[in-house]
Amino acid sequence: DHRDPLYRWDSLDAELRQILSKGLTPIVYVQSAPKWAWGEESILETPVKPSPSALADFATALAKRYPRVRYWQVWNEPNLWQFLFPQDENGKNFSPGWYRAMVNSMARSIHRAPRSDVVIAGALAPYGGGEGRIRPMEFMRDMLCMSKGARPRATCNEKAEFDVWAHHAYSYGGPTSHAFHADDVAVGDLRE
């Protein structure tokens, strides 16, 4: 219930009023789940396995609270441990599949609204590798159940439900510079 007094909407209310009064179109993104949606093992103020169903409830509250918002982004840089933890379990990528469940839950809630809202997924960090960082192309393939290669094939039967894919294409160089690793994506790699 978006009217629950335990929610603290004041800051977002004020920001959205200001944005809309200027004729701008906001994108509201859920950067983290409310603490009640975090897994029991949460550490360092990082959600561990945030509950997809609790996130769906939160998305329902958001959509009811803000009927003038049309664009909703699920999470920020889910391929980094700081934003979604764990990234792997038992030596295998874990976060892409969990993120797919989060996206699907939130998308179903947002798409229930009697309007044509848009759900944005991805917003991946451009570089991976190393402890707690999955390279963006590897994360995307796992999340979308696609194999690597010029002719990808399905690797699972699960579908990701979103309308737009976002990517943070930061670069170590200028706007034409490319990533050093094939599974990283800098601004110069976006056309590929």
Side-chain angles (χ1 to χ4, degrees):
D1 181 0
H2 67 95
R3 294 166 296 205
D4 189 313
L6 293 176
Y7 281 119
R8 293 186 184 98
W9 301 114
D10 296 344
S11 176
L12 186 54
D13 287 350
E15 288 178 36
L16 287 173
R17 260 194 312 275
Q18 186 175 12
I19 289 167
L20 292 166
S21 74
K22 304 293 184 195
L24 299 172
T25 302
I27 295 174
V28 173
Y29 82 96
V30 177
Q31 177 173 324
S32 180
K35 287 193 178 185
W36 49 262
W38 292 14
E40 293 177 14
E41 312 118 32
S42 295
I43 56 170
L44 301 174
E45 294 297 308
T46 298
V48 174
K49 299 179 190 172
S51 165
S53 63
L55 187 61
D57 291 342
F58 183 57
T60 298
L62 281 167
K64 287 180 179 177
R65 176 79 180 189
Y66 302 110
R68 293 181 61 195
V69 173
R70 296 286 180 262
Y71 297 93
W72 305 92
Q73 181 175 306
V74 184
W75 233 247
N76 178 60
E77 298 184 343
N79 59 325
L80 302 182
W81 76 268
Q82 296 93 325
F83 299 107
L84 188 57
F85 188 84
Q87 288 291 303
D88 61 78
E89 282 189 346
N90 302 318
K92 294 188 177 206
N93 287 348
F94 173 80
S95 60
W98 197 264
Y99 180 65
R100 179 176 53 255
M102 292 166 53
V103 167
N104 289 349
S105 292
M106 192 164 161
R108 288 179 194 126
S109 292
I110 295 294
H111 286 147
R112 269 192 220 115
R115 55 188 192 263
S116 55
D117 286 4
V118 175
V119 175
I120 303 165
L124 300 178
Y127 304 103
E131 189 72 27
R133 299 175 66 95
I134 298 175
R135 296 189 188 280
M137 291 301 292
E138 178 183 356
F139 186 97
M140 186 187 301
R141 283 191 302 270
D142 286 357
M143 192 253 186
L144 298 175
C145 298
M146 296 173 62
S147 68
K148 191 173 184 174
R151 295 180 185 262
R153 58 179 170 66
T155 58
C156 74
N157 293 325
E158 298 179 46
K159 180 183 176 189
E161 301 175 31
F162 61 91
D163 304 301
V164 173
W165 185 263
H167 181 73
H168 296 164
Y170 309 130
S171 176
Y172 286 119
T176 60
S177 65
H178 296 278
F180 300 116
H181 191 278
D183 277 344
D184 288 338
V185 182
V187 69
D189 304 311
L190 285 178
R191 65 185 177 88
E192 298 171 25

